[in-house]
Amino acid sequence: MKGVIMAGGKGTRLRPLTCNMPKPMVPMLHKPVMEYGIELLKKFGITDIAVTVHYLPDAIKNYFGNGRDFGVNLHYFVEDSPLGTAGSIKNAEEFLDERFIVISGDALTDFNLAKGIEFHEENNSLATIFMKQVDSPLEYGVIMTNQEGKIIRFLEKPSWNEVFSDTVNTGIYVLEPEVFNYIEKDVPVDFSKDLFPLLMKEDKNLFGYQAEGYWSDIGSLQQYRQSHYDMLNGLVNLPFSGKEHEPGIWVGENVFIEDGAIIDAPVSIADGAVIRKGAHIGKLSVVGKNSVVSTGSSLKKTVLWNDVFVGDQCELRGATIANGTKVEKDASVFEHAVVGNHCTIGRNATLKPDVKIWPEKEIFEEALVHTSIVWGKKATKSLFGSRGVSGIANVEITPDYIARLASAYGAVLPYGSQIIIASDSHDFSVMIKQSFIQGLHSSGVHTLDISPTVAPVVRFSIEEERLEGGVYVRFSNPTGEKQLMIEFYDNKGLPIHSDLERKIENAYWQEDYRRASFDRIGKGAVQANKHEDYISALLEEIQEKGIQEAKFRVVVNYNHQPYLNFIPNLYNRLNCEILTAPYQTKPEEMASFVRVTNANIGVLIGEAGETLRLITETGEVLDEETMLALYVFTAFSQGKQKEMAIPVYGSSALDSIAERLKGKLIRTKANPRSIMEVGKGVLNYQYDAQYAFVHILEIMAMQKITLSELVKMLPDVHMLREYVPCPKDKKGRVMRRLMEDIRDNNVELLDGIKVFHPEGGWTLILPDVEQPVFTVYSQNKDPEQAKQAASQYIEKIQLYQQV
C-alpha cells in the first residue's frame, strides 16, 4: 500500500510564521509537522510515499530529500498552478497504482491507520474518510453517516444554521485507484467540494471511519500554540525529541542549563540551547535549537524556534518567536503575539497581545507596539456575520480598520469597476463611508455615492445601474449597543455569497491589497436623486390612482432623519394623509394613536427601511407570522408573482394561501440572499418595507376593505417559538446527537433540523448563526401537541450540552 502527503499549502492564516516557509515545514517541538506524518505512515508499514508540493517546494525537498534518512521513499509531484486537493493527487496517478492513503502535511495526528484501512477493506469502500468529533466544526467538512458507516450527508465549511453534526472530515482518506476516473486532469478539483459530493450523487461506496486518538489541523496560530500544549501535556501519542531528564522535562543534546535556572514541567528544550542562571522557563514552554534565554528572563506558555536570543530580564507570555530573532534586554512580548524570522525587538520594547511582526523587522528601543508590523491585526472571529460586517462604533469599527477592509474588498473586484456606496444620515456612518470610499479608490475601483438612503434603495440602484456591487453603511442603536453595520451586495443587488465573503476575508488577513498607480486610482461620483427613481419603480408596480382615490389616513413611526425623508414623499404621491408619531414610540402606544385618530393603518418601519410592522384600524399590532401571511396573500392575490420564497420556519398554513391563489411557495434558508434569489429579487416583501406597504395598500384600495378585514381572510399561522441558550462550542455536539436521535424520522435539513411528526405537525431546531442560542419552532393543529414536541427537543438540547 502506498501513501500520499499533501504538502502544497501556503498556510496564510499562520503568517508571519509562514511568510518564507511552507506550512508543512512549520516546526512542532523542534521538527517539521510533516515529519510526524512521515513517521506515522512508516509506523504502519507505508514507506512508498508521494508528496504533492506547490508553495516553496524546495524547502520541503531540501529537508526530506528522497526520504532515505527517514526510512521511507519519497516521490515529489509539483503543481505549477493550484489544482485543489484532489487535483494535486491526480498528478501522481501513475505512481498510485494500488490502494493508497492520503494525509495532510500540516495536520498532527496519532490515529491508528491500520484500523481505518481494515474498515475500508471490510466495507469494500471506494473512498473512506477518517472522521473526528470537534467542538467547533465551522472550518471543516461536516459528515453524517448511516449505522453502517456509509456517508449520507456532507457539507463543506457550514455556518451554524447548516451544521447537522460535530463530526468532521480530518483530511485523511483511504482511496482505491478507481477514484481517478472521477478526477479530471489539470483541472482544479477538491475532495470535499467536488469529488465526495460526486461520489455520493452516483451512490458509490463512500464511508466514514470514526477514528480514535488525537487530531489537530495546524491551520491557525491559535491551534498551532494549542497543539504544542497538547503534546507537552501528553495528549498526543507521538515520540518527542530529546530525553525526559525529569518528569515532564524533555532535553536535547548539548543543552547547557546553568545552576539557578528554574524549569517548570512540562517543557521541551532542544539541542544546543542555553538557559542562564535566574532564567525561568515556565510550564508549556518550548525552547528551540541553539536558542539562548538569558539571566532573569521569564517564559510562560511560549514557543521559541531555533537560534532565538532572549536578553536579560525579558518577559514572554504566550508568545511565538520564529528563527533567528533577537529579543533585547527588558523587552516584553505578551499573549498571542507572534514574531517572524530574523527580527529584532529592541531594549525595553513592548509587544501588546495579538501583535504580529513580519520577518526581518526591527522594533526600536522602548517602543510600545499596539498593532501589527507591517500587516494588520487579525481579529479572533470572522469578519462577516449574518448581515455583513458589524462592530461597536469607533471601538471595533474604526476608520483605519475600514480602510483595510475596503482595500480587501477592492482587491476582489475587477480593476476599474464601479460600485454604489451609501450610508444613513448618522455622522459616524458618514465618516466610515468616506474611509471606505478612499480604500476603494486606492485599489482602482470607482464609486457612486447615493447617500443618505436605505438598503432597499441601494439594492434597487445596483440592479438599475448594472454596477458591479454595492456597500451600505448604517448605525444601529435600538437597544443602546451602538453598532455600525456594513452590508455588501453583488451585481444583482443581492447580499454577497459566502464564497465572496471568504475571498474578502482572505485578502484582509493576508493584506493582499491591490494598489492602483497614482494616475489610475478610482474616482467618485455623487447622485442624490435615486430615491425618485426608486419611488417611480414602486408606483409602476401598483394601481396608483386607485390608492390615491382611497385617501388613506396613515400613522407612521420612523426615524426622522434625512435618509428616510423619501417616505413622506412616497405617501404624499399616494395621496395619503400622514400622521407622524415620535420615533421609538412603543407599538402599544402607536395602536392607541391609530384608534384615537381614526387612522386606516399604522406603520412601523425598521431603521434600515427593510422591516415593516402594521397596526390595524382597530389597534391590533400584527406579529411576524401574520405579516408573513399577509405578504404571501398580497403577492399572489393579483397574480403579479408566480412564486415566492419564505423562511423554512414559515407556517404550513401559508401553503393553503398559495394553493388557493395559484402561487408557489419555496422554503429557503432564513437569510436575505436566499429569500431574494427567488421571485422578483431586490424588490422584495420581506426586506423592503416600502415595496410591501404600497402593495398592501393596493389590495385594501382595490377590494375596498380595511386592514382588519384583510387579516381575517388569512388562516391561523401562529406557531410556538422558544429560545434555548447553548455555548457555541457545544452546538456541533448537540446537532450530532439530535441527528442520531431522529435518524429514522422524516427530516428536512435545508436550514437547521426540521422534523415532521407522524401524527402531523413539525418541529424545527435552528442554531443561530452568530449567537450562542437555538431557536425551536413547533407547529401542530393541536397547540398542546406543538408545546409537547418543542419541550421534548428543548430538553434534549439542554441535556446534550452536558454529556
Side-chain angles (χ1 to χ4, degrees):
M1 184 170 177
K2 294 179 179 179
V4 179
I5 297 177
M6 295 186 293
K10 290 184 178 181
T12 52
R13 290 188 296 156
L14 284 174
R15 291 181 177 177
L17 299 180
T18 52
C19 285
N20 45 25
M21 174 184 293
K23 188 178 177 184
M25 293 301 295
V26 169
M28 290 292 307
L29 288 189
H30 320 304
K31 60 186 180 184
V33 63
M34 178 176 152
E35 191 169 335
Y36 293 102
I38 290 175
E39 292 173 348
L40 186 68
L41 291 173
K42 179 184 174 184
K43 176 181 177 180
F44 291 98
I46 302 167
T47 56
D48 234 8
I49 303 169
V51 182
T52 63
V53 291
H54 171 62
Y55 177 64
L56 300 177
D58 289 344
I60 296 173
K61 292 180 180 180
N62 292 341
Y63 182 88
F64 291 106
N66 59 14
R68 189 175 306 154
D69 293 342
F70 301 88
V72 296
N73 301 311
L74 299 182
H75 309 264
Y76 297 96
F77 298 88
V78 181
E79 298 174 74
D80 294 325
S81 60
L83 292 173
T85 51
S88 67
I89 291 175
K90 180 75 170 180
N91 281 346
E93 181 175 5
E94 291 187 9
F95 172 74
L96 299 170
D97 53 0
E98 59 182 88
R99 178 180 297 149
F100 60 96
I101 186 167
V102 178
I103 67 173
S104 297
D106 48 22
L108 185 70
T109 182
D110 59 10
F111 286 163
N112 187 322
L113 302 183
K115 289 186 177 180
I117 295 168
E118 182 181 351
F119 175 89
H120 175 89
E121 293 174 346
E122 290 173 350
N123 288 282
N124 191 29
S125 180
L126 175 62
T128 298
I129 303 174
F130 279 63
M131 307 182 305
K132 179 71 175 176
Q133 292 170 359
V134 298
D135 289 336
S136 181
L138 300 186
E139 292 300 317
Y140 309 102
V142 180
I143 297 173
M144 185 169 71
T145 64
N146 62 19
Q147 292 177 326
E148 288 73 40
K150 189 172 183 178
I151 294 174
I152 57 176
R153 189 167 172 82
F154 189 98
L155 184 62
E156 179 69 4
K157 295 186 178 179
S159 57
W160 271 121
N161 58 315
E162 298 171 310
V163 167
F164 49 81
S165 176
D166 62 349
T167 304
V168 303
N169 173 12
T170 66
I172 301 175
Y173 315 125
V174 183
L175 304 172
E176 298 296 326
E178 287 78 10
V179 297
F180 289 120
N181 297 333
Y182 301 91
I183 304 173
E184 191 173 349
K185 188 172 180 61
D186 296 326
V187 173
V189 180
D190 187 83
F191 277 117
S192 298
K193 293 181 179 179
D194 304 310
L195 179 61
F196 295 149
L198 177 61
L199 295 181
M200 289 179 63
K201 181 180 179 181
E202 300 199 4
D203 197 28
K204 300 299 179 182
N205 278 351
L206 176 64
F207 279 80
Y209 169 67
Q210 188 68 59
E212 296 181 359
Y214 183 87
W215 172 79
S216 174
D217 173 25
I218 314 297
S220 67
L221 293 168
Q222 177 185 357
Q223 194 57 45
Y224 177 70
R225 288 187 296 269
Q226 186 61 49
S227 296
H228 274 97
Y229 305 155
D230 292 343
M231 292 186 77
L232 289 170
N233 280 323
L235 302 181
V236 190
N237 184 23
L238 293 172
F240 276 28
S241 298
K243 296 181 179 179
E244 192 173 11
H245 282 210
E246 296 180 23
I249 299 177
W250 287 268
V251 179
E253 298 179 356
N254 302 315
V255 172
F256 182 59
I257 301 176
E258 292 186 347
D259 292 341
I262 301 172
I263 313 292
D264 295 334
V267 299
S268 177
I269 303 173
D271 299 350
V274 176
I275 313 298
R276 299 294 184 189
K277 63 181 179 180
H280 182 189
I281 310 299
K283 62 181 180 179
L284 299 178
S285 290
V286 176
V287 181
K289 293 180 181 179
N290 304 315
S291 291
V292 176
V293 181
S294 301
T295 300
S297 286
S298 171
L299 276 59
K300 291 184 179 178
K301 300 182 77 171
T302 288
V303 177
L304 304 184
W305 287 13
N306 299 339
D307 303 304
V308 175
F309 175 82
V310 179
D312 294 344
Q313 308 299 326
C314 291
E315 184 180 10
L316 280 66
R317 299 287 181 266
T320 304
I321 312 292
N323 295 335
T325 285
K326 181 166 71 170
V327 183
E328 296 185 343
K329 182 179 179 181
D330 293 318
S332 300
V333 184
F334 290 114
E335 283 78 6
H336 305 163
V338 181
V339 182
N341 291 341
H342 304 292
C343 291
T344 299
I345 311 300
R347 293 168 62 100
N348 208 32
T350 299
L351 304 189
K352 300 297 281 186
D354 292 310
V355 163
K356 298 169 187 62
I357 309 297
W358 257 243
E360 300 180 4
K361 301 294 183 292
E362 182 176 358
I363 306 301
F364 295 109
E365 293 183 10
E366 300 185 0
L368 180 61
V369 182
H370 291 274
T371 58
S372 299
I373 308 294
V374 165
W375 295 40
K377 180 179 178 180
K378 179 179 177 180
T380 57
K381 61 180 181 180
S382 299
L383 293 179
F384 285 85
S386 58
R387 292 295 300 267
V389 177
S390 64
I392 302 171
N394 227 22
V395 175
E396 296 171 322
I397 304 293
T398 60
D400 57 315
Y401 168 83
I402 289 301
R404 297 195 300 272
L405 176 62
S407 296
Y409 179 43
V412 303
L413 292 172
Y415 183 86
S417 58
Q418 185 178 32
I419 72 159
I420 280 179
I421 186 163
S423 70
D424 60 19
S425 313
H426 196 280
D427 289 343
F428 190 77
S429 302
V430 174
M431 180 182 72
I432 291 300
K433 177 194 67 177
Q434 294 297 339
S435 296
F436 209 107
I437 288 173
Q438 303 311 318
L440 288 172
H441 287 177
S442 72
S443 63
V445 173
H446 307 298
T447 59
L448 176 62
D449 186 352
I450 63 170
S451 305
T453 192
V454 292
V457 176
V458 175
R459 296 194 291 263
F460 164 80
S461 301
I462 294 168
E463 188 176 48
E464 184 187 49
E465 299 285 345
R466 297 182 179 181
L467 301 184
E468 192 68 32
V471 174
Y472 182 59
V473 181
R474 65 184 179 92
F475 186 77
S476 177
N477 193 36
T479 57
E481 70 274 27
K482 298 180 176 62
Q483 291 279 308
L484 199 284
M485 322 283 289
I486 305 161
E487 297 177 6
F488 294 74
Y489 305 108
D490 65 14
N491 59 356
K492 296 180 180 178
L494 303 178
I496 62 173
H497 194 276
S498 57
D499 288 346
L500 184 55
E501 289 180 350
R502 289 195 177 100
K503 288 181 180 179
I504 296 170
E505 287 182 343
N506 288 338
Y508 180 87
W509 299 142
Q510 300 168 30
E511 290 205 2
D512 189 10
Y513 306 149
R514 179 183 64 221
R515 298 301 186 197
S517 62
F518 75 94
D519 55 347
R520 299 185 69 199
I521 60 172
K523 294 179 174 60
V526 177
Q527 190 173 350
N529 63 349
K530 295 308 295 182
H531 288 126
E532 292 301 318
D533 296 341
Y534 170 70
I535 290 174
S536 297
L538 293 182
L539 297 180
E540 287 176 4
E541 291 263 336
I542 58 174
Q543 299 182 55
E544 181 180 351
K545 186 175 180 180
I547 299 176
Q548 291 171 339
E549 292 173 350
K551 297 181 180 179
F552 289 111
R553 174 178 287 187
V554 179
V555 175
V556 62
N557 173 15
Y558 67 95
N559 191 353
H560 295 276
Q561 296 294 325
Y563 77 103
L564 290 173
N565 280 348
F566 74 96
I567 290 177
N569 183 19
L570 172 62
Y571 291 8
N572 285 329
R573 291 276 295 272
L574 294 171
N575 198 27
C576 294
E577 180 184 351
I578 304 171
L579 305 172
T580 59
Y583 180 51
Q584 293 185 338
T585 300
K586 294 180 180 178
E588 298 78 13
E589 296 171 338
M590 278 280 291
S592 298
F593 195 16
V594 170
R595 289 195 303 269
V596 168
T597 58
N598 292 319
N600 301 102
I601 191 169
V603 183
L604 297 94
I605 299 174
E607 56 188 10
E610 290 187 329
T611 57
L612 175 70
R613 290 186 70 186
L614 297 180
I615 302 171
T616 70
E617 78 284 357
T618 62
E620 179 188 0
V621 182
L622 304 186
D623 58 24
E624 181 181 332
E625 287 87 0
T626 304
M627 288 300 303
L628 184 57
L630 190 56
Y631 295 154
V632 172
F633 181 87
T634 305
F636 294 142
S637 63
Q638 297 187 58
K640 293 182 180 180
Q641 288 186 214
K642 298 299 182 184
E643 59 183 25
M644 179 181 180
I646 62 171
V648 65
Y649 56 76
S651 169
S652 300
L654 299 175
D655 295 292
S656 64
I657 302 175
E659 290 171 8
R660 175 159 49 96
L661 299 173
K662 296 181 172 55
K664 180 182 180 182
L665 288 182
I666 299 175
R667 283 177 168 76
T668 74
K669 295 177 182 178
N671 64 65
R673 182 179 176 89
S674 297
I675 297 292
M676 292 182 198
E677 281 181 318
V678 178
K680 300 196 69 172
V682 294
L683 292 177
N684 181 278
Y685 284 93
Q686 295 171 65
Y687 291 97
D688 188 335
Q690 295 67 237
Y691 179 83
F693 180 64
V694 298
H695 281 83
I696 292 169
L697 281 187
E698 181 185 33
I699 292 285
M700 294 168 59
M702 294 301 101
Q703 298 190 19
K704 293 182 171 54
I705 58 175
T706 64
L707 181 58
S708 60
E709 289 172 335
L710 178 55
V711 171
K712 287 179 182 177
M713 299 169 65
L714 305 175
D716 181 14
V717 292
H718 294 92
M719 70 184 74
L720 189 69
R721 181 186 310 196
E722 298 285 352
Y723 299 96
V724 188
C726 178
K728 290 184 179 180
D729 62 354
K730 301 293 192 301
K731 282 184 180 179
R733 177 201 302 171
V734 169
M735 293 295 280
R736 172 176 55 83
R737 293 293 303 274
L738 289 173
M739 289 299 299
E740 292 170 353
D741 285 350
I742 60 174
R743 193 184 297 271
D744 299 326
N745 293 56
N746 183 6
V747 176
E748 180 183 83
L749 299 176
L750 175 64
D751 203 10
I753 302 173
K754 191 173 186 179
V755 186
F756 295 91
H757 306 306
E759 68 279 5
W762 50 261
T763 302
L764 172 67
I765 303 99
L766 189 63
D768 191 275
V769 175
E770 295 179 333
Q771 301 302 317
V773 67
F774 280 84
T775 305
V776 177
Y777 300 86
S778 192
Q779 181 181 339
N780 197 295
K781 291 181 179 179
D782 182 347
E784 188 58 35
Q785 288 189 8
K787 185 176 181 180
Q788 290 177 2
S791 298
Q792 174 187 354
Y793 286 102
I794 289 170
E795 290 174 3
K796 288 177 180 290
I797 293 169
Q798 293 169 336
L799 173 65
Y800 294 156
Q801 296 176 42
Q802 312 301 324
V803 296

